[in-house]
């Protein structure tokens, strides 16, 4: 059942409701058979940027194997976790799903290595931040509707996509930037999507790290979150094969953290007793969260992955290559915009004021939109004399 089936009355008063939405930038008639937030989710699924996530790296580059997470499978896992939490707390499931599916739309090719490289290239031109870029994709870059640029999503969905933001950028962003200046919180749905992202990658990177042979079950015993579930599974099912063992442990880890998060948040909501989404926004700190104990364990796992997976020499080799591809593409296009396809070249050449900044932003938009394999191919087309152009 979705929230149309259940009716808006089943949502908690502090959830995001259609009736209290701050609306869309370009007003539109309400949808006939969907809620406003279901329409947001559907627009995201049909966008070009969403399909490209299938060929963008999470940690492992797309060509390394078919079983690793990509940005699209990561986003779907985030949405699954976020929906379970939202439902338990009587919050808006369609909105958490929309935010989860959109949260990485602005990600560059090659994961965090790509984002860092593009940010370094853009240093003199206002920087590059994938979170801000996700908002740029849904507000401006998608070209699908006759009446408006972008996807014209609700304020609540855009507020959820913009997880963090510098004060300088916040001033330029208008309505969605305001909360960073006033130190307000986003909706509970946005807070959930944010934590569901962390829970999803922490757990799936254990699975992917094991599959790639970067870490092993024995090493993971140092991590309390993993060890507790591992001990339970091995005593209940001695001699279980490794694949099933790993899955049993990771699914229990997710459940353990999610259940703690729901209970902790329920208690906080009871205490704070917000009566509306605006009460949530004006609360001094986020209301969604894990208990201190589980948060510490969650961070311990994150630190373990940082040391043993994200900084493994095989991942670092990939990172170095990615940085080179992104940096060289950026330099080539900045030096000569005519090397870009016409639609990107024309944006880069439009307008007289701040022409370097404008050109750099057009180049960054083009590069950020690339999939891993497109970036590798484009790099070859430009630098390899033997490659077709
Ligand atoms: Mg993510």
């Amino acid at each position: 059942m979705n929230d149309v089936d259940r009716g808006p009355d089943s949502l908690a008063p502090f959830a995001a409701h259609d009736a209290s939405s701050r609306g869309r930038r370009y007003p539109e008639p309400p949808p006939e058979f969907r809620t406003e937030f279901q329409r947001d989710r559907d627009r995201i699924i049909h966008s070009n940027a969403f399909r490209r996530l299938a060929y963008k790296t999470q940690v492992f580059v797309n060509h390394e194997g078919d079983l690793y997470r990509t940005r699209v499978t990561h986003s779907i896992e985030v949405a699954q976790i976020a929906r379970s939490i939202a439902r338990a707390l009587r919050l808006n499931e369609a909105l958490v799903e929309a935010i989860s599916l959109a949260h990485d739309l602005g990600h560059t090719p090659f994961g965090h290595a790509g984002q860092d490289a593009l940010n370094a290239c853009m240093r003199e031109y206002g920087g590059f931040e994938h979170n801000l870029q996700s908002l740029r994709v849904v507000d401006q870059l998608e070209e699908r509707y006759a009446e408006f640029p972008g996807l014209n999503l609700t304020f609540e969905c855009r507020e959820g996509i913009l997880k963090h933001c510098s004060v300088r950028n916040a001033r330029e962003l208008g309505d969605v930037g305001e909360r960073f200046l006033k130190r307000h919180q986003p909706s509970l749905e946005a807070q959930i999507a944010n934590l569901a992202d962390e829970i999803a990658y922490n757990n799936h990177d254990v699975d992917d790290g094991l599959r790639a042979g970067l870490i092993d079950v024995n090493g993971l015993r140092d991590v309390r979150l993993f060890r507790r579930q591992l001990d339970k599974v091995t005593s209940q099912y001695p001699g279980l094969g490794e694949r099933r063992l790993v899955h049993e442990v990771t699914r229990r880890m997710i459940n353990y953290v999610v259940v703690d998060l729901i209970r902790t948040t329920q208690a906080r909501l009871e205490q704070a007793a917000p009566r509306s989404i605006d009460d949530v926004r004006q609360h001094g700190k986020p209301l969604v969260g894990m208990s201190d104990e589980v948060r510490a364990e969650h961070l311990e796992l994150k630190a373990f992955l940082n040391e043993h997976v994200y900084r493994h020499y095989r991942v670092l080799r990939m990172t170095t290559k990615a940085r080179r591809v992104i940096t060289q593409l950026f330099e080539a296009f900045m030096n000569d915009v005519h090397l870009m396809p016409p639609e990107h070249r024309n944006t880069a050449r439009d307008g007289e004021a701040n022409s370097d900044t404008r050109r750099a932003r057009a180049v960054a938009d083009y590069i950020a939109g690339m999939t891993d394999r497109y970036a590798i191919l484009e790099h070859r087309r430009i630098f390899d004399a033997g490659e077709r152009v």
Side-chain angles (χ1 to χ4, degrees), residues 223-261:
V223 179
R224 278 171 294 171
L225 207 52
F226 189 90
R227 187 175 62 232
R228 188 181 305 111
Q229 306 305 333
L230 178 72
D231 288 345
K232 279 189 199 155
V233 176
T234 45
S235 70
Q236 204 178 344
Y237 306 101
L240 191 65
E242 181 156 320
R243 271 190 211 169
R244 286 203 204 188
L245 176 79
V246 168
H247 183 67
E248 272 297 333
V249 173
T250 47
R251 82 177 184 93
R252 286 164 192 239
M253 285 201 298
I254 296 174
N255 194 56
Y256 175 80
V257 175
V258 165
V259 166
D260 175 83
L261 187 149

Side-chain angles (χ1 to χ4, degrees), residues 58 71 74-75 78 103-104 107 130 163 197-198 201:
Q58 184 62 30
R71 289 257 161 225
H74 161 69
S75 301
V78 174
H103 85 282
D104 273 348
H107 231 297
H130 70 86
K163 275 193 275 193
D197 183 22
E198 285 190 25
Y201 68 65

Side-chain angles (χ1 to χ4, degrees), residues 64-348:
E64 291 183 52
D66 291 346
L67 274 177
Y68 295 113
R69 269 70 177 185
T70 65
R71 289 257 161 225
V72 82
T73 58
H74 161 69
S75 301
I76 292 169
E77 289 183 38
V78 174
Q80 181 278 313
I81 291 169
R83 285 174 57 198
S84 300
I85 298 169
R87 211 174 167 74
L89 296 169
R90 294 198 302 133
L91 296 170
N92 200 309
E93 208 175 323
L95 177 59
V96 290
E97 189 178 12
I99 297 169
S100 303
L101 295 178
H103 85 282
D104 273 348
L105 288 180
H107 231 297
T108 61
F110 312 122
H112 282 280
Q115 129 88 30
D116 293 346
L118 195 51
N119 188 29
C121 295
M122 287 292 287
R123 192 156 294 143
E124 290 167 46
Y125 313 105
F128 178 89
E129 214 279 293
H130 70 86
N131 192 224
L132 212 54
Q133 189 71 7
S134 296
L135 188 68
R136 198 169 152 74
V137 167
V138 301
D139 279 355
Q140 295 177 47
L141 298 179
E142 281 286 325
E143 295 179 289
R144 307 186 64 78
Y145 299 90
E147 302 266 329
F148 43 77
L151 306 180
N152 197 30
L153 302 179
T154 60
F155 173 85
E156 288 70 20
C157 192
R158 297 170 58 235
E159 169 196 56
I161 291 171
L162 193 66
K163 275 193 275 193
H164 35 76
C165 172
S166 67
V167 168
R168 200 192 53 167
N169 286 330
R171 287 207 186 93
E172 287 170 17
L173 285 170
D175 56 0
V176 275
E178 238 172 62
R179 80 173 159 97
F180 298 96
L181 305 174
K182 292 183 175 166
R183 297 179 182 276
H184 284 177
Q185 309 305 319
S187 68
L188 295 168
E189 285 82 355
Q191 297 178 31
I192 288 173
N194 187 14
L195 285 174
D197 183 22
E198 285 190 25
I199 297 171
Y201 68 65
N202 243 359
N203 287 283
H204 65 49
D205 290 349
V206 166
D207 186 44
D208 280 352
L210 286 166
R211 177 172 293 112
L214 306 183
I215 48 178
D216 58 33
V217 170
N218 216 13
L220 275 159
R221 290 190 63 85
D222 291 343
V223 179
R224 278 171 294 171
L225 207 52
F226 189 90
R227 187 175 62 232
R228 188 181 305 111
Q229 306 305 333
L230 178 72
D231 288 345
K232 279 189 199 155
V233 176
T234 45
S235 70
Q236 204 178 344
Y237 306 101
L240 191 65
E242 181 156 320
R243 271 190 211 169
R244 286 203 204 188
L245 176 79
V246 168
H247 183 67
E248 272 297 333
V249 173
T250 47
R251 82 177 184 93
R252 286 164 192 239
M253 285 201 298
I254 296 174
N255 194 56
Y256 175 80
V257 175
V258 165
V259 166
D260 175 83
L261 187 149
I262 293 169
R263 293 217 173 106
T264 308
T265 306
Q266 267 167 344
R268 288 188 194 171
L269 284 168
E270 264 164 45
Q271 225 199 344
R275 281 158 305 166
S276 67
I277 189 170
D278 281 326
D279 283 356
V280 169
R281 287 180 174 133
Q282 277 152 35
H283 196 73
K285 50 185 192 235
L287 285 161
V288 178
M290 303 164 200
S291 63
D292 291 344
E293 185 199 333
V294 171
R295 176 98 201 134
E297 292 181 13
H298 170 81
L299 293 176
E300 183 187 62
L301 172 57
K302 196 170 171 165
F304 178 91
L305 290 168
N306 203 10
E307 191 181 340
H308 298 280
V309 175
Y310 313 139
R311 285 198 224 140
H312 192 282
Y313 81 94
R314 278 165 54 201
V315 174
L316 290 178
R317 283 183 184 182
M318 184 283 281
T319 307
T320 307
K321 279 195 270 189
R323 195 179 304 127
R324 192 176 310 131
V325 169
I326 299 273
T327 309
Q328 291 180 348
L329 282 177
F330 185 86
E331 283 167 3
F333 296 138
M334 271 306 270
N335 288 336
D336 188 354
V337 292
H338 297 93
L339 297 179
M340 290 199 286
E343 63 275 24
H344 297 280
R345 178 181 66 213
N346 295 341
T347 328

